[in-house]
Amino acid sequence: EGMAPPQRILFPPEKICMAWQQRQRPGAGLDNLGNTCFLNSVLQCLTYTPPLANYLLSREHSRSCRQQGFCMMCVMEAHVNKVLHFSGSAIQPWTVVRVLTRIGEHFQLGMQEDAHEFLRYTVDAMQRACLSGSSNLDISSQATTIVHQIFGGFLRSRVTCLSCKAVSDSYEAFLDVPLDIKAASSVTAALEDFVKPEQLDGDNCFKCSKCDKMVAASKRFTIHRVPKVLTVCLKRFEGFTGRKISKVVEYPEYLDLRPYTSQAAGEPLLYALYAVLVHSGGSCHEGHYFCYTKASNGLWYKMDDTSVDGCGINTVLGQQAYLLFYVR
């Protein structure tokens, strides 16, 4: 499909199990250990990610882990097993909080952090743990860890010369899709904007290898290899001021990713929503995070630190979402 095949496969794809292996009521809520709502809500979204939870509940990772010292996969395995096997109402997430600065050295206990940034660093730390002991791997092989096979995909950037129509493709791995919502009122509209061709001209001209000169061109991103779990970040915070874009952006319970892929014609690529992370407050420097997750029993719950309360899908779909999690 245009990309180099991996030289090594680090985790056999057929061992990834997409459906919950055991059905149960939701696990424990999480105590707030001092401004840790950003961490609690991200951890709950990850805990209810079926293919990740199935793997962590099997404890397969820790049985074969050779890592000395900090290993994010071992940390997540301990956390998820504790949450989902706990019979009481809430636990203290010290397993993760204790290693906060190992996840990202700028994170400080007691400080309100950005949930998307924490998610990014956590998944990256899990990816690093899966790659430990495998140095100098090509990019396709790095994408065969269990973490990248669950959360990762590839974007294709295609630049077309407007003079000679020559096409130049490049590929980049992604672990989530950030969507601009300034002009969009729905996730599907924001995805359409994401794949809309952009003109390169004037100062942005493109050096065409066929014409051998700077030319006007069109550039278009498409999702080239779709992830098993699609994480969408709605860009609610202005980069410079941190001010929040507090508008309703509609998102569906079921999303067809097919129109936004490199092969836009074909069978639908259906994804089902299973977690929504919400920020309430006026800017990224203040406010509160909580989330809605779908437990293995198929029911939705609002998870707000220690409280875990059942709710309906209409409540879930009516939120000012910040992060959306969809499973294939």
Side-chain angles (χ1 to χ4, degrees):
E1 50 188 56
M3 293 169 51
Q7 290 156 10
R8 260 181 78 193
I9 292 186
L10 298 173
F11 189 87
E14 62 278 6
K15 280 179 65 179
I16 296 174
C17 186
M18 296 300 290
W20 283 103
Q21 290 294 275
Q22 49 208 59
R23 292 188 171 274
Q24 57 183 72
R25 58 185 199 80
L30 301 176
D31 279 330
N32 192 319
L33 304 175
N35 275 338
T36 54
C37 60
F38 72 94
L39 171 139
N40 289 351
S41 48
V42 167
L43 289 177
Q44 293 289 37
C45 292
L46 291 173
T47 298
Y48 293 92
T49 298
L52 180 66
N54 287 330
Y55 176 67
L56 296 175
L57 288 169
S58 75
R59 297 190 184 269
E60 188 186 317
H61 175 82
S62 58
R63 281 203 294 270
S64 60
C65 181
R66 302 273 172 274
Q67 192 131 320
Q68 298 299 310
F70 168 66
C71 167
M72 194 63 207
M73 287 302 279
C74 287
V75 168
M76 282 304 292
E77 185 182 293
H79 175 80
V80 167
N81 275 281
K82 197 169 169 186
V83 167
L84 293 180
H85 292 145
F86 189 69
S87 53
S89 62
I91 64 160
Q92 297 192 327
W94 281 113
T95 321
V96 178
V97 170
R98 224 175 263 124
V99 294
L100 196 54
T101 53
R102 305 295 299 270
I103 296 169
E105 51 191 35
H106 60 294
F107 291 134
Q108 286 176 349
L109 182 56
M111 295 292 285
Q112 167 77 286
E113 305 284 358
D114 179 83
H116 176 236
E117 189 185 19
F118 179 69
L119 171 70
R120 211 27 323 104
Y121 273 84
T122 300
V123 174
D124 284 345
M126 285 159 62
Q127 169 72 349
R128 281 199 307 279
C130 293
L131 286 173
S132 87
S134 323
S135 53
N136 303 334
L137 281 177
D138 59 293
I139 183 159
S140 295
S141 300
Q142 289 177 29
T144 65
T145 64
I146 183 159
V147 170
H148 212 288
Q149 287 189 63
I150 291 173
F151 295 101
F154 278 87
L155 291 177
R156 182 182 77 187
S157 164
R158 169 164 285 185
V159 180
T160 308
C161 169
L162 295 180
S163 305
C164 76
K165 301 291 180 271
V167 166
S168 159
D169 287 341
S170 59
Y171 303 92
E172 63 178 278
F174 69 86
L175 289 161
D176 62 27
V177 176
L179 292 181
D180 211 323
I181 57 168
K182 282 199 187 76
S185 57
S186 69
V187 163
T188 47
L191 278 164
E192 277 159 33
D193 289 343
F194 184 74
V195 298
K196 203 161 45 195
E198 168 198 357
Q199 295 296 327
L200 305 177
D201 47 29
D203 291 345
N204 278 336
C205 273
F206 169 72
K207 174 82 193 273
C208 174
S209 53
K210 275 234 174 83
C211 301
D212 199 25
K213 60 173 195 255
M214 300 303 281
V215 293
S218 107
K219 176 181 180 177
R220 182 171 186 239
F221 279 110
T222 46
I223 298 172
H224 194 66
R225 190 186 289 168
V226 298
K228 289 182 168 59
V229 166
L230 172 73
T231 312
V232 172
C233 173
L234 303 181
K235 290 156 74 172
R236 287 207 175 267
F237 300 116
E238 307 263 3
F240 193 62
T241 58
R243 211 171 56 81
K244 184 168 161 194
I245 303 171
S246 295
K247 67 186 233 184
V248 174
V249 178
E250 289 180 8
Y251 47 95
E253 184 181 2
Y254 297 100
L255 174 67
D256 178 13
L257 214 50
R258 174 62 74 190
Y260 318 107
T261 63
S262 303
Q263 305 285 316
E267 293 287 301
L269 288 167
L270 276 186
Y271 285 75
L273 187 70
Y274 72 89
V276 177
L277 187 145
V278 182
H279 173 271
S280 65
S283 88
C284 64
H285 309 299
E286 46 116 36
H288 181 61
Y289 289 104
F290 55 93
C291 66
Y292 294 84
T293 62
K294 193 179 191 175
S296 61
N297 61 7
L299 301 176
W300 282 94
Y301 295 86
K302 179 181 181 182
M303 302 197 169
D304 187 346
D305 288 336
T306 51
S307 72
V308 175
D309 299 306
C311 66
I313 183 66
N314 290 345
T315 304
V316 175
L317 294 176
Q319 301 300 315
Q320 268 191 32
Y322 180 33
L323 300 174
L324 298 167
F325 296 81
Y326 285 91
V327 65
R328 181 81 189 269

